Amino acid sequence: MQTAFDCLIDSFVTHNVGIAENFLSASLSAQLKENIQACYSDNLLRAAGIGNKVLPMQDKLVRSDLIYWLDRKHNNPVENSFFDLMDRFVAYLNSTCYTGITGYEFHYALYEKGSFYKRHLDQFQNDKNRAYSMIMYLNTGWQEKDGGELCIYHADHVQTIAPVNGTCVFFKSSALEHEVCLNHQPRWSITGWLKSA
Ligand code: OGA
Ligand code: MN
């Protein structure tokens, strides 16, 4: 596993955006996808909002994804395997990069056909705890015509990343504006933030 962790961290250090293909094993990503699809069937996914609880501003013009927060309290073995992986990653990141991460939060996301999330920054004005953004994709067989790219706005160029199964993207939450482009197939993912107190 160290290889995928190093790959993510090294590309982050070099390019400000870490990308690691196969960060999620094929079996974990398949289990996670089955799990989010079960949540969807059970009507557990909810329209995502903008801002945090202090500034609730739901706005379908800005984002149209459906989300479900993962939680160890669910006692779901698949969610727990995911958290075990994140615990290993955070321990590795803290020990190699002195990042001082003390917590995290992750949600499943479904962008139904025709969804998007307009250009935004992940750190809230009134909550600076989100240090790093992490996104992992659960889409096997994703094709260019399916759209749904993640576009990251660097000072001098725009980086486009396809939401390919198992890939993880990692960047500083306060630093980079980004956008999810219109998708033409259902787009499944896990998004989360590593937090420093
Ligand atoms: C987010 C986000 C990007 C993606 O949920 O804040 O920017 O590619 N997601 O899903
Ligand atoms: Mn975002």
Side-chain angles (χ1 to χ4, degrees):
M1 201 61 228
Q2 194 139 318
T3 319
F5 291 175
D6 282 329
C7 175
L8 195 66
I9 294 168
D10 290 351
S11 51
F12 166 73
V13 169
T14 314
H15 304 292
N16 295 320
V17 174
I19 301 182
E21 291 167 13
N22 306 310
F23 185 88
L24 300 177
S25 68
S27 82
L28 181 58
S29 84
Q31 288 176 312
L32 288 163
K33 187 166 182 182
E34 227 171 80
N35 192 212
I36 181 182
Q37 288 180 330
C39 294
Y40 183 56
S41 306
D42 292 344
N43 253 317
L44 294 172
L45 271 60
R46 295 283 173 267
I50 322 163
N52 60 10
K53 291 169 196 104
V54 187
L55 288 171
M57 299 176 291
Q58 197 123 333
D59 192 344
K60 299 222 167 18
L61 295 174
V62 176
R63 67 186 295 188
S64 50
D65 55 325
L66 302 170
I67 68 167
Y68 178 76
W69 290 97
L70 281 71
D71 195 325
R72 280 214 188 255
K73 292 198 190 96
H74 294 154
N75 287 322
N76 178 291
V78 179
E79 285 182 46
N80 286 349
S81 313
F82 174 78
F83 283 128
D84 291 345
L85 175 67
M86 288 306 116
D87 287 343
R88 290 199 297 278
F89 178 65
V90 168
Y92 189 69
L93 185 69
N94 280 343
S95 69
T96 54
C97 303
Y98 308 101
T99 30
I101 297 303
T102 51
Y104 52 57
E105 54 189 2
F106 287 95
H107 64 62
Y108 284 129
L110 165 61
Y111 288 72
E112 292 177 297
K113 217 169 153 172
S115 302
F116 54 83
Y117 191 164
K118 297 267 199 263
R119 185 169 171 166
H120 66 282
L121 204 60
D122 280 347
Q123 208 178 58
F124 301 128
Q125 288 300 317
N126 54 359
D127 178 0
K128 305 277 185 228
N129 290 351
R130 287 181 171 184
Y132 299 96
S133 303
M134 278 183 92
I135 306 139
M136 282 147 276
Y137 300 111
L138 307 174
N139 309 295
T140 45
W142 196 261
Q143 297 179 24
E144 205 173 325
K145 67 173 170 55
D146 300 333
E149 300 88 356
L150 169 63
C151 290
I152 301 184
Y153 293 89
H154 295 263
D156 55 357
H157 71 287
V158 181
Q159 180 178 10
T160 302
I161 301 164
V164 170
N165 194 49
T167 296
C168 178
V169 181
F170 178 81
F171 55 89
K172 237 180 149 168
S173 303
S174 61
L176 290 171
E177 292 190 352
H178 54 282
E179 165 176 11
V180 179
C181 298
L182 193 69
N183 58 303
H184 310 296
Q185 286 294 330
R187 180 189 191 271
W188 309 87
S189 59
I190 297 180
T191 300
W193 295 274
L194 306 187
K195 300 166 101 169
S196 50

